[in-house]
PDB file of all heavy atoms in Angstrom:
ATOM      1  N   PHE Y 247      37.886  13.196  98.898  1.00  0.00           N
ATOM      2  CA  PHE Y 247      36.475  12.910  99.178  1.00  0.00           C
ATOM      3  C   PHE Y 247      35.980  11.767  98.282  1.00  0.00           C
ATOM      4  O   PHE Y 247      35.303  10.844  98.744  1.00  0.00           O
ATOM      5  CB  PHE Y 247      35.640  14.166  98.957  1.00  0.00           C
ATOM      6  CG  PHE Y 247      34.165  13.967  99.191  1.00  0.00           C
ATOM      7  CD1 PHE Y 247      33.626  14.047 100.465  1.00  0.00           C
ATOM      8  CD2 PHE Y 247      33.311  13.689  98.131  1.00  0.00           C
ATOM      9  CE1 PHE Y 247      32.269  13.855 100.689  1.00  0.00           C
ATOM     10  CE2 PHE Y 247      31.958  13.490  98.339  1.00  0.00           C
ATOM     11  CZ  PHE Y 247      31.425  13.578  99.620  1.00  0.00           C
ATOM     12  N   ARG Y 248      36.318  11.832  97.019  1.00  0.00           N
ATOM     13  CA  ARG Y 248      35.863  10.789  96.094  1.00  0.00           C
ATOM     14  C   ARG Y 248      36.524   9.450  96.397  1.00  0.00           C
ATOM     15  O   ARG Y 248      35.920   8.391  96.193  1.00  0.00           O
ATOM     16  CB  ARG Y 248      36.146  11.215  94.647  1.00  0.00           C
ATOM     17  CG  ARG Y 248      35.247  12.347  94.170  1.00  0.00           C
ATOM     18  CD  ARG Y 248      35.616  12.795  92.780  1.00  0.00           C
ATOM     19  NE  ARG Y 248      34.878  13.988  92.399  1.00  0.00           N
ATOM     20  CZ  ARG Y 248      35.162  14.740  91.362  1.00  0.00           C
ATOM     21  NH1 ARG Y 248      36.199  14.424  90.574  1.00  0.00           N
ATOM     22  NH2 ARG Y 248      34.440  15.805  91.075  1.00  0.00           N
ATOM     23  N   LEU Y 249      37.761   9.499  96.871  1.00  0.00           N
ATOM     24  CA  LEU Y 249      38.435   8.258  97.244  1.00  0.00           C
ATOM     25  C   LEU Y 249      37.692   7.584  98.403  1.00  0.00           C
ATOM     26  O   LEU Y 249      37.474   6.369  98.394  1.00  0.00           O
ATOM     27  CB  LEU Y 249      39.882   8.544  97.624  1.00  0.00           C
ATOM     28  CG  LEU Y 249      40.749   7.322  97.975  1.00  0.00           C
ATOM     29  CD1 LEU Y 249      40.849   6.366  96.776  1.00  0.00           C
ATOM     30  CD2 LEU Y 249      42.138   7.759  98.420  1.00  0.00           C
ATOM     31  N   ALA Y 250      37.300   8.390  99.398  1.00  0.00           N
ATOM     32  CA  ALA Y 250      36.518   7.837 100.509  1.00  0.00           C
ATOM     33  C   ALA Y 250      35.204   7.255  99.995  1.00  0.00           C
ATOM     34  O   ALA Y 250      34.780   6.164 100.423  1.00  0.00           O
ATOM     35  CB  ALA Y 250      36.245   8.927 101.545  1.00  0.00           C
ATOM     36  N   LYS Y 251      34.568   7.934  99.071  1.00  0.00           N
ATOM     37  CA  LYS Y 251      33.307   7.462  98.508  1.00  0.00           C
ATOM     38  C   LYS Y 251      33.501   6.153  97.752  1.00  0.00           C
ATOM     39  O   LYS Y 251      32.694   5.208  97.883  1.00  0.00           O
ATOM     40  CB  LYS Y 251      32.727   8.534  97.577  1.00  0.00           C
ATOM     41  CG  LYS Y 251      31.409   8.162  96.919  1.00  0.00           C
ATOM     42  CD  LYS Y 251      30.904   9.306  96.048  1.00  0.00           C
ATOM     43  CE  LYS Y 251      29.642   8.908  95.289  1.00  0.00           C
ATOM     44  NZ  LYS Y 251      29.147  10.014  94.439  1.00  0.00           N
ATOM     45  N   ALA Y 252      34.559   6.068  96.961  1.00  0.00           N
ATOM     46  CA  ALA Y 252      34.819   4.851  96.178  1.00  0.00           C
ATOM     47  C   ALA Y 252      35.060   3.659  97.101  1.00  0.00           C
ATOM     48  O   ALA Y 252      34.519   2.566  96.884  1.00  0.00           O
ATOM     49  CB  ALA Y 252      36.015   5.067  95.259  1.00  0.00           C
ATOM     50  N   TYR Y 253      35.869   3.856  98.149  1.00  0.00           N
ATOM     51  CA  TYR Y 253      36.121   2.759  99.105  1.00  0.00           C
ATOM     52  C   TYR Y 253      34.818   2.331  99.796  1.00  0.00           C
ATOM     53  O   TYR Y 253      34.576   1.143 100.007  1.00  0.00           O
ATOM     54  CB  TYR Y 253      37.131   3.210 100.158  1.00  0.00           C
ATOM     55  CG  TYR Y 253      38.575   3.110  99.719  1.00  0.00           C
ATOM     56  CD1 TYR Y 253      39.470   4.157  99.948  1.00  0.00           C
ATOM     57  CD2 TYR Y 253      39.056   1.952  99.103  1.00  0.00           C
ATOM     58  CE1 TYR Y 253      40.803   4.068  99.561  1.00  0.00           C
ATOM     59  CE2 TYR Y 253      40.395   1.858  98.715  1.00  0.00           C
ATOM     60  CZ  TYR Y 253      41.258   2.905  98.944  1.00  0.00           C
ATOM     61  OH  TYR Y 253      42.579   2.810  98.562  1.00  0.00           O
ATOM     62  N   ALA Y 254      33.985   3.321 100.144  1.00  0.00           N
ATOM     63  CA  ALA Y 254      32.719   2.988 100.805  1.00  0.00           C
ATOM     64  C   ALA Y 254      31.824   2.180  99.883  1.00  0.00           C
ATOM     65  O   ALA Y 254      31.174   1.208 100.309  1.00  0.00           O
ATOM     66  CB  ALA Y 254      32.020   4.272 101.254  1.00  0.00           C
ATOM     67  N   GLN Y 255      31.791   2.556  98.603  1.00  0.00           N
ATOM     68  CA  GLN Y 255      30.956   1.827  97.642  1.00  0.00           C
ATOM     69  C   GLN Y 255      31.491   0.418  97.395  1.00  0.00           C
ATOM     70  O   GLN Y 255      30.731  -0.496  97.080  1.00  0.00           O
ATOM     71  CB  GLN Y 255      30.863   2.612  96.332  1.00  0.00           C
ATOM     72  CG  GLN Y 255      29.990   3.846  96.438  1.00  0.00           C
ATOM     73  CD  GLN Y 255      29.971   4.641  95.143  1.00  0.00           C
ATOM     74  OE1 GLN Y 255      31.002   5.128  94.684  1.00  0.00           O
ATOM     75  NE2 GLN Y 255      28.800   4.783  94.557  1.00  0.00           N
ATOM     76  N   LEU Y 256      32.798   0.253  97.551  1.00  0.00           N
ATOM     77  CA  LEU Y 256      33.401  -1.074  97.405  1.00  0.00           C
ATOM     78  C   LEU Y 256      33.239  -1.914  98.673  1.00  0.00           C
ATOM     79  O   LEU Y 256      33.606  -3.101  98.688  1.00  0.00           O
ATOM     80  CB  LEU Y 256      34.891  -0.935  97.075  1.00  0.00           C
ATOM     81  CG  LEU Y 256      35.229  -0.533  95.633  1.00  0.00           C
ATOM     82  CD1 LEU Y 256      36.695  -0.130  95.518  1.00  0.00           C
ATOM     83  CD2 LEU Y 256      34.915  -1.678  94.663  1.00  0.00           C
ATOM     84  N   GLY Y 257      32.724  -1.302  99.734  1.00  0.00           N
ATOM     85  CA  GLY Y 257      32.551  -2.015 100.993  1.00  0.00           C
ATOM     86  C   GLY Y 257      33.815  -2.110 101.813  1.00  0.00           C
ATOM     87  O   GLY Y 257      33.878  -2.885 102.789  1.00  0.00           O
ATOM     88  N   GLU Y 258      34.844  -1.344 101.475  1.00  0.00           N
ATOM     89  CA  GLU Y 258      36.108  -1.370 102.198  1.00  0.00           C
ATOM     90  C   GLU Y 258      36.081  -0.272 103.272  1.00  0.00           C
ATOM     91  O   GLU Y 258      36.616   0.828 103.108  1.00  0.00           O
ATOM     92  CB  GLU Y 258      37.269  -1.177 101.217  1.00  0.00           C
ATOM     93  CG  GLU Y 258      37.328  -2.283 100.161  1.00  0.00           C
ATOM     94  CD  GLU Y 258      38.486  -2.100  99.191  1.00  0.00           C
ATOM     95  OE1 GLU Y 258      39.335  -1.224  99.443  1.00  0.00           O
ATOM     96  OE2 GLU Y 258      38.536  -2.841  98.175  1.00  0.00           O
ATOM     97  N   ARG Y 259      35.435  -0.610 104.394  1.00  0.00           N
ATOM     98  CA  ARG Y 259      35.168   0.364 105.447  1.00  0.00           C
ATOM     99  C   ARG Y 259      36.429   0.981 106.049  1.00  0.00           C
ATOM    100  O   ARG Y 259      36.499   2.217 106.192  1.00  0.00           O
ATOM    101  CB  ARG Y 259      34.298  -0.281 106.548  1.00  0.00           C
ATOM    102  CG  ARG Y 259      32.887  -0.609 106.075  1.00  0.00           C
ATOM    103  CD  ARG Y 259      32.185  -1.613 107.010  1.00  0.00           C
ATOM    104  NE  ARG Y 259      31.989  -1.088 108.345  1.00  0.00           N
ATOM    105  CZ  ARG Y 259      30.863  -0.513 108.781  1.00  0.00           C
ATOM    106  NH1 ARG Y 259      29.845  -0.386 107.943  1.00  0.00           N
ATOM    107  NH2 ARG Y 259      30.759  -0.090 110.022  1.00  0.00           N
ATOM    108  N   PRO Y 260      37.435   0.190 106.423  1.00  0.00           N
ATOM    109  CA  PRO Y 260      38.631   0.817 107.022  1.00  0.00           C
ATOM    110  C   PRO Y 260      39.292   1.833 106.087  1.00  0.00           C
ATOM    111  O   PRO Y 260      39.705   2.912 106.516  1.00  0.00           O
ATOM    112  CB  PRO Y 260      39.557  -0.376 107.295  1.00  0.00           C
ATOM    113  CG  PRO Y 260      38.632  -1.552 107.410  1.00  0.00           C
ATOM    114  CD  PRO Y 260      37.550  -1.290 106.420  1.00  0.00           C
ATOM    115  N   GLN Y 261      39.398   1.476 104.805  1.00  0.00           N
ATOM    116  CA  GLN Y 261      40.024   2.391 103.844  1.00  0.00           C
ATOM    117  C   GLN Y 261      39.170   3.654 103.662  1.00  0.00           C
ATOM    118  O   GLN Y 261      39.698   4.769 103.513  1.00  0.00           O
ATOM    119  CB  GLN Y 261      40.231   1.697 102.497  1.00  0.00           C
ATOM    120  CG  GLN Y 261      41.286   0.607 102.510  1.00  0.00           C
ATOM    121  CD  GLN Y 261      40.709  -0.751 102.884  1.00  0.00           C
ATOM    122  OE1 GLN Y 261      39.655  -0.845 103.525  1.00  0.00           O
ATOM    123  NE2 GLN Y 261      41.399  -1.820 102.475  1.00  0.00           N
ATOM    124  N   ALA Y 262      37.841   3.487 103.660  1.00  0.00           N
ATOM    125  CA  ALA Y 262      36.951   4.644 103.532  1.00  0.00           C
ATOM    126  C   ALA Y 262      37.128   5.584 104.723  1.00  0.00           C
ATOM    127  O   ALA Y 262      37.191   6.822 104.564  1.00  0.00           O
ATOM    128  CB  ALA Y 262      35.497   4.186 103.424  1.00  0.00           C
ATOM    129  N   LEU Y 263      37.224   5.006 105.911  1.00  0.00           N
ATOM    130  CA  LEU Y 263      37.413   5.821 107.110  1.00  0.00           C
ATOM    131  C   LEU Y 263      38.790   6.498 107.114  1.00  0.00           C
ATOM    132  O   LEU Y 263      38.925   7.654 107.530  1.00  0.00           O
ATOM    133  CB  LEU Y 263      37.235   4.962 108.358  1.00  0.00           C
ATOM    134  CG  LEU Y 263      35.792   4.449 108.591  1.00  0.00           C
ATOM    135  CD1 LEU Y 263      35.779   3.352 109.638  1.00  0.00           C
ATOM    136  CD2 LEU Y 263      34.895   5.606 109.005  1.00  0.00           C
ATOM    137  N   ASP Y 264      39.812   5.769 106.633  1.00  0.00           N
ATOM    138  CA  ASP Y 264      41.147   6.375 106.509  1.00  0.00           C
ATOM    139  C   ASP Y 264      41.081   7.604 105.600  1.00  0.00           C
ATOM    140  O   ASP Y 264      41.676   8.647 105.898  1.00  0.00           O
ATOM    141  CB  ASP Y 264      42.138   5.370 105.929  1.00  0.00           C
ATOM    142  CG  ASP Y 264      42.525   4.279 106.929  1.00  0.00           C
ATOM    143  OD1 ASP Y 264      42.266   4.469 108.134  1.00  0.00           O
ATOM    144  OD2 ASP Y 264      43.068   3.245 106.476  1.00  0.00           O
ATOM    145  N   ALA Y 265      40.371   7.450 104.473  1.00  0.00           N
ATOM    146  CA  ALA Y 265      40.284   8.545 103.495  1.00  0.00           C
ATOM    147  C   ALA Y 265      39.508   9.724 104.075  1.00  0.00           C
ATOM    148  O   ALA Y 265      39.871  10.891 103.843  1.00  0.00           O
ATOM    149  CB  ALA Y 265      39.619   8.050 102.210  1.00  0.00           C
ATOM    150  N   LEU Y 266      38.454   9.470 104.838  1.00  0.00           N
ATOM    151  CA  LEU Y 266      37.700  10.560 105.460  1.00  0.00           C
ATOM    152  C   LEU Y 266      38.551  11.287 106.488  1.00  0.00           C
ATOM    153  O   LEU Y 266      38.542  12.532 106.565  1.00  0.00           O
ATOM    154  CB  LEU Y 266      36.431  10.013 106.120  1.00  0.00           C
ATOM    155  CG  LEU Y 266      35.270   9.646 105.189  1.00  0.00           C
ATOM    156  CD1 LEU Y 266      34.133   9.004 105.965  1.00  0.00           C
ATOM    157  CD2 LEU Y 266      34.767  10.885 104.452  1.00  0.00           C
ATOM    158  N   GLU Y 267      39.292  10.552 107.286  1.00  0.00           N
ATOM    159  CA  GLU Y 267      40.160  11.186 108.280  1.00  0.00           C
ATOM    160  C   GLU Y 267      41.256  12.000 107.605  1.00  0.00           C
ATOM    161  O   GLU Y 267      41.684  13.051 108.127  1.00  0.00           O
ATOM    162  CB  GLU Y 267      40.768  10.123 109.193  1.00  0.00           C
ATOM    163  CG  GLU Y 267      39.750   9.503 110.145  1.00  0.00           C
ATOM    164  CD  GLU Y 267      40.322   8.359 110.971  1.00  0.00           C
ATOM    165  OE1 GLU Y 267      41.331   7.764 110.537  1.00  0.00           O
ATOM    166  OE2 GLU Y 267      39.764   8.069 112.039  1.00  0.00           O
ATOM    167  N   ALA Y 268      41.699  11.539 106.444  1.00  0.00           N
ATOM    168  CA  ALA Y 268      42.739  12.277 105.718  1.00  0.00           C
ATOM    169  C   ALA Y 268      42.235  13.639 105.244  1.00  0.00           C
ATOM    170  O   ALA Y 268      43.034  14.562 105.027  1.00  0.00           O
ATOM    171  CB  ALA Y 268      43.232  11.451 104.531  1.00  0.00           C
ATOM    172  N   LEU Y 269      40.901  13.767 105.084  1.00  0.00           N
ATOM    173  CA  LEU Y 269      40.335  15.067 104.691  1.00  0.00           C
ATOM    174  C   LEU Y 269      40.693  16.155 105.699  1.00  0.00           C
ATOM    175  O   LEU Y 269      40.897  17.311 105.333  1.00  0.00           O
ATOM    176  CB  LEU Y 269      38.810  14.958 104.570  1.00  0.00           C
ATOM    177  CG  LEU Y 269      38.240  14.292 103.321  1.00  0.00           C
ATOM    178  CD1 LEU Y 269      36.741  14.101 103.471  1.00  0.00           C
ATOM    179  CD2 LEU Y 269      38.546  15.127 102.089  1.00  0.00           C
ATOM    180  N   LEU Y 270      40.746  15.769 106.977  1.00  0.00           N
ATOM    181  CA  LEU Y 270      41.030  16.749 108.029  1.00  0.00           C
ATOM    182  C   LEU Y 270      42.476  17.207 108.010  1.00  0.00           C
ATOM    183  O   LEU Y 270      42.826  18.197 108.657  1.00  0.00           O
ATOM    184  CB  LEU Y 270      40.703  16.152 109.401  1.00  0.00           C
ATOM    185  CG  LEU Y 270      39.252  15.668 109.597  1.00  0.00           C
ATOM    186  CD1 LEU Y 270      39.092  15.060 110.982  1.00  0.00           C
ATOM    187  CD2 LEU Y 270      38.282  16.814 109.404  1.00  0.00           C
ATOM    188  N   LYS Y 271      43.335  16.480 107.283  1.00  0.00           N
ATOM    189  CA  LYS Y 271      44.750  16.817 107.235  1.00  0.00           C
ATOM    190  C   LYS Y 271      45.138  17.502 105.929  1.00  0.00           C
ATOM    191  O   LYS Y 271      46.309  17.769 105.688  1.00  0.00           O
ATOM    192  CB  LYS Y 271      45.582  15.549 107.422  1.00  0.00           C
ATOM    193  CG  LYS Y 271      45.295  14.831 108.741  1.00  0.00           C
ATOM    194  CD  LYS Y 271      46.027  13.500 108.830  1.00  0.00           C
ATOM    195  CE  LYS Y 271      45.676  12.751 110.112  1.00  0.00           C
ATOM    196  NZ  LYS Y 271      46.320  11.420 110.179  1.00  0.00           N
ATOM    197  N   GLN Y 272      44.129  17.751 105.089  1.00  0.00           N
ATOM    198  CA  GLN Y 272      44.399  18.425 103.819  1.00  0.00           C
ATOM    199  C   GLN Y 272      44.861  19.857 104.076  1.00  0.00           C
ATOM    200  O   GLN Y 272      44.594  20.444 105.126  1.00  0.00           O
ATOM    201  CB  GLN Y 272      43.126  18.456 102.960  1.00  0.00           C
ATOM    202  CG  GLN Y 272      42.652  17.092 102.481  1.00  0.00           C
ATOM    203  CD  GLN Y 272      43.532  16.548 101.359  1.00  0.00           C
ATOM    204  OE1 GLN Y 272      44.005  17.284 100.509  1.00  0.00           O
ATOM    205  NE2 GLN Y 272      43.753  15.256 101.374  1.00  0.00           N
ATOM    206  N   GLY Y 273      45.513  20.441 103.085  1.00  0.00           N
ATOM    207  CA  GLY Y 273      45.951  21.826 103.199  1.00  0.00           C
ATOM    208  C   GLY Y 273      44.789  22.800 103.216  1.00  0.00           C
ATOM    209  O   GLY Y 273      44.936  23.951 103.609  1.00  0.00           O
ATOM    210  N   TRP Y 274      43.629  22.338 102.767  1.00  0.00           N
ATOM    211  CA  TRP Y 274      42.437  23.196 102.750  1.00  0.00           C
ATOM    212  C   TRP Y 274      41.259  22.357 103.213  1.00  0.00           C
ATOM    213  O   TRP Y 274      40.966  21.310 102.645  1.00  0.00           O
ATOM    214  CB  TRP Y 274      42.200  23.726 101.330  1.00  0.00           C
ATOM    215  CG  TRP Y 274      40.979  24.582 101.184  1.00  0.00           C
ATOM    216  CD1 TRP Y 274      40.882  25.917 101.443  1.00  0.00           C
ATOM    217  CD2 TRP Y 274      39.682  24.174 100.720  1.00  0.00           C
ATOM    218  NE1 TRP Y 274      39.610  26.367 101.187  1.00  0.00           N
ATOM    219  CE2 TRP Y 274      38.848  25.314 100.731  1.00  0.00           C
ATOM    220  CE3 TRP Y 274      39.138  22.967 100.306  1.00  0.00           C
ATOM    221  CZ2 TRP Y 274      37.523  25.286 100.345  1.00  0.00           C
ATOM    222  CZ3 TRP Y 274      37.813  22.922  99.917  1.00  0.00           C
ATOM    223  CH2 TRP Y 274      37.018  24.067  99.936  1.00  0.00           C
ATOM    224  N   VAL Y 275      40.603  22.785 104.290  1.00  0.00           N
ATOM    225  CA  VAL Y 275      39.470  22.053 104.846  1.00  0.00           C
ATOM    226  C   VAL Y 275      38.322  23.040 105.034  1.00  0.00           C
ATOM    227  O   VAL Y 275      38.504  24.099 105.646  1.00  0.00           O
ATOM    228  CB  VAL Y 275      39.802  21.397 106.207  1.00  0.00           C
ATOM    229  CG1 VAL Y 275      38.611  20.591 106.709  1.00  0.00           C
ATOM    230  CG2 VAL Y 275      41.030  20.505 106.083  1.00  0.00           C
ATOM    231  N   SER Y 276      37.154  22.692 104.521  1.00  0.00           N
ATOM    232  CA  SER Y 276      35.984  23.550 104.645  1.00  0.00           C
ATOM    233  C   SER Y 276      35.008  22.964 105.647  1.00  0.00           C
ATOM    234  O   SER Y 276      34.711  21.768 105.624  1.00  0.00           O
ATOM    235  CB  SER Y 276      35.292  23.701 103.291  1.00  0.00           C
ATOM    236  OG  SER Y 276      34.041  24.333 103.440  1.00  0.00           O
ATOM    237  N   ALA Y 277      34.472  23.817 106.521  1.00  0.00           N
ATOM    238  CA  ALA Y 277      33.492  23.360 107.496  1.00  0.00           C
ATOM    239  C   ALA Y 277      32.240  22.825 106.812  1.00  0.00           C
ATOM    240  O   ALA Y 277      31.543  21.962 107.353  1.00  0.00           O
ATOM    241  CB  ALA Y 277      33.121  24.498 108.440  1.00  0.00           C
ATOM    242  N   SER Y 278      31.930  23.328 105.603  1.00  0.00           N
ATOM    243  CA  SER Y 278      30.747  22.870 104.881  1.00  0.00           C
ATOM    244  C   SER Y 278      30.880  21.409 104.451  1.00  0.00           C
ATOM    245  O   SER Y 278      29.888  20.778 104.057  1.00  0.00           O
ATOM    246  CB  SER Y 278      30.499  23.744 103.646  1.00  0.00           C
ATOM    247  OG  SER Y 278      31.581  23.646 102.735  1.00  0.00           O
TER     248      SER Y 278
END
């Protein structure tokens, strides 16, 4: 989550989106 946030703050949109999508593939995903 923080990696996606850091990329977004750096303005690196594709990398931020990659990191957000990777959240869905984690071993633990919370609906919250």
Side-chain angles (χ1 to χ4, degrees):
F247 179 84
R248 289 176 188 167
L249 183 61
K251 180 178 175 180
Y253 278 134
Q255 287 177 298
L256 284 167
E258 299 180 9
R259 292 163 63 96
Q261 291 89 337
L263 292 166
D264 287 344
L266 284 175
E267 289 175 337
L269 283 172
L270 302 178
K271 301 174 183 177
Q272 293 286 323
W274 178 84
V275 183
S276 170
S278 63

